Amino acid sequence: MALTPSETEAVASETAETNSPRRVGRVVLLLAALVVVALIAVGAFAAGRLSTLDNPTPSANSAEAGFARDMQVHHIQGVEMAMIVRDLTDDPAVRLLAYDIATTQGQQAGQLYGWLTEWQLSQLGSEPSMTWMTRPGRSDTGHEHASTHVAGAPMPGLATDAQMAELKAASGVDAERIFLTLMIAHHKGAIEMAQAVLDRADNTSVLGFANAVMLSQTSEIKLMQDMLAERA
């Protein structure tokens, strides 16, 4: 995800002001990781768009439709958490990570919304959230069994109202710790949802999207775990 000129200038300025080699090294690592993630996501999206002509339109209660609805909600909270922490910290590495999460997940939420519109399906659906995850997977994936997730239960990794309030009330390093802890759990939940749709969907655009989510968020989890360890 490319930074705007103003964001690039701000990050460069903040990095130059710190004398910590650890922080400088972390910012460089973040930039490299974000480039790789962006390339993976763009490639997966392009491959999916090229194959849409061969895909049947998903039904209203399909895994594809359920995933598109629920992952939108999941991503929107991710954007909210990222924007909150950007206002609560001056750390350039955390701010850069938050900016990437906000822009990437915001774009992906819009993409999911667009698919439902293209498929002429409701954005809300007629079933409780996560119902699609309770149904058995495809026989060719080796995951024919239904998920243990309960229809209508909170999505995996979704932060509670109390956790969001705790984040908003924090500042500085405390806010960074809370954010990283919540976002690691949030990413793990998104990976669980992506794996579930890989086991249940046939639409190649959705499969490419889910693979990109798994690759990018797995990489970011490792990065955030390292950042959290530095703030222990």
Side-chain angles (χ1 to χ4, degrees), residues 45-186:
F45 174 69
R49 292 295 294 174
L50 290 173
S51 63
T52 54
L53 294 178
D54 297 328
N55 286 322
T57 300
S59 64
N61 295 330
S62 64
E64 289 91 340
F67 174 79
R69 296 182 185 110
D70 291 337
M71 190 59 88
Q72 277 189 72
V73 175
H74 207 270
H75 272 12
I76 288 169
Q77 188 188 67
V79 172
E80 182 183 2
M81 286 196 290
M83 296 310 295
I84 289 170
V85 81
R86 271 181 58 84
D87 293 335
L88 299 177
T89 179
D90 294 325
D91 186 275
V94 175
R95 287 174 59 83
L96 179 57
L97 174 64
Y99 176 78
D100 181 69
I101 288 173
T103 52
T104 299
Q105 295 199 17
Q107 183 274 330
Q108 288 180 343
Q111 185 177 337
L112 294 165
Y113 182 97
W115 278 342
L116 288 167
T117 300
E118 181 182 349
W119 300 334
Q120 298 183 352
L121 299 177
S122 168
Q123 297 291 335
L124 298 178
S126 60
E127 298 182 319
S129 64
M130 311 306 294
T131 298
W132 61 276
M133 276 185 67
T134 68
R135 299 189 177 110
R138 299 196 319 268
S139 60
D140 63 336
T141 65
H143 296 87
E144 299 90 347
H145 59 282
S147 168
T148 57
H149 200 84
V150 178
M155 297 170 198
L158 208 66
T160 65
D161 290 343
Q163 289 171 327
M164 293 294 288
E166 182 184 18
L167 174 62
K168 292 175 182 178
S171 62
V173 176
D174 285 341
E176 293 165 16
R177 292 194 192 101
I178 295 169
F179 168 74
L180 291 168
T181 300
L182 292 179
M183 192 58 75
I184 288 170
H186 202 265

